[in-house]
Amino acid sequence: MDTQHVQDWIALCNAKAQYCRLLDTKQWQAWSDLWTDDFVLDTDGAGNIPLVKGKQAALAQVRSSIEYAKTCHHVHNPEIDIQGNEASVIWAMQDRVVWGDGKPSLTGFGHYHELWLKIDGVWKLQKLKLTRLHLDVTAPLE
């Protein structure tokens, strides 16, 4: 393993950490700046949501779902395979989503399966597929 490989590994981990923080703090522009323009979002495994193609369409879909929710996303145990300017990454993940307004909240467990591209020295997320292993749904307090 050479120095560049280690630097790329760390950069990918940092980019995913930013992904989670920017999503949870609703910094939408900075969050979507982590993606390629042809970004593909596949969350069908998390709730029968159709495949979304394109940065703007993906951003609109996510915002319509969780813009007013309180969220917390955690990723860990990365499996990173770097091949030149492409990286396939699988992250174990847990997310917590609380909508309020009488809606149930959820805690999900699963994996992100991703393809990252290094463009002009910066890692950008091109494809993300979310798979769920388990979902805890909590009824709202009355």
Side-chain angles (χ1 to χ4, degrees):
M1 189 177 303
D2 64 10
T3 303
Q4 184 59 54
H5 185 88
V6 173
Q7 289 172 343
D8 286 334
W9 204 92
I10 292 168
L12 287 159
C13 289
N14 284 340
K16 190 61 179 185
Q18 288 176 336
Y19 174 99
C20 293
R21 177 180 53 81
L22 295 169
L23 171 59
D24 292 336
T25 58
K26 311 300 190 267
Q27 295 181 57
W28 301 116
Q29 185 61 53
W31 184 57
S32 66
D33 286 346
L34 296 170
W35 310 340
T36 62
D37 289 337
D38 61 346
F39 176 65
V40 176
L41 178 64
D42 182 356
T43 57
D44 183 53
N48 297 320
I49 300 169
L51 187 77
V52 181
K53 295 181 179 181
K55 180 190 272 193
Q56 296 308 317
L59 182 59
Q61 190 282 322
V62 172
R63 286 185 76 168
S64 72
S65 176
I66 64 165
E67 182 155 19
Y68 301 107
K70 294 177 183 172
T71 63
C72 187
H73 289 76
H74 290 221
V75 295
H76 29 272
N77 301 338
E79 300 173 55
I80 301 174
D81 179 24
I82 301 168
Q83 300 293 326
N85 289 330
E86 287 190 9
S88 297
V89 185
I90 301 172
W91 301 92
M93 65 80 64
Q94 177 182 348
D95 61 348
R96 177 82 171 132
V97 182
V98 179
W99 282 278
D101 295 331
K103 296 178 183 175
S105 59
L106 64 87
T107 303
F109 306 87
H111 295 92
Y112 288 123
H113 302 258
E114 300 173 337
L115 176 63
W116 291 78
L117 302 178
K118 192 174 185 183
I119 301 169
D120 296 327
V122 178
W123 287 101
K124 298 281 188 172
L125 183 57
Q126 185 182 43
K127 294 180 183 175
L128 181 149
K129 179 180 178 74
L130 171 60
T131 58
R132 293 260 192 222
L133 300 172
H134 182 73
L135 190 63
D136 285 333
V137 179
T138 306
L141 298 174
E142 294 190 24

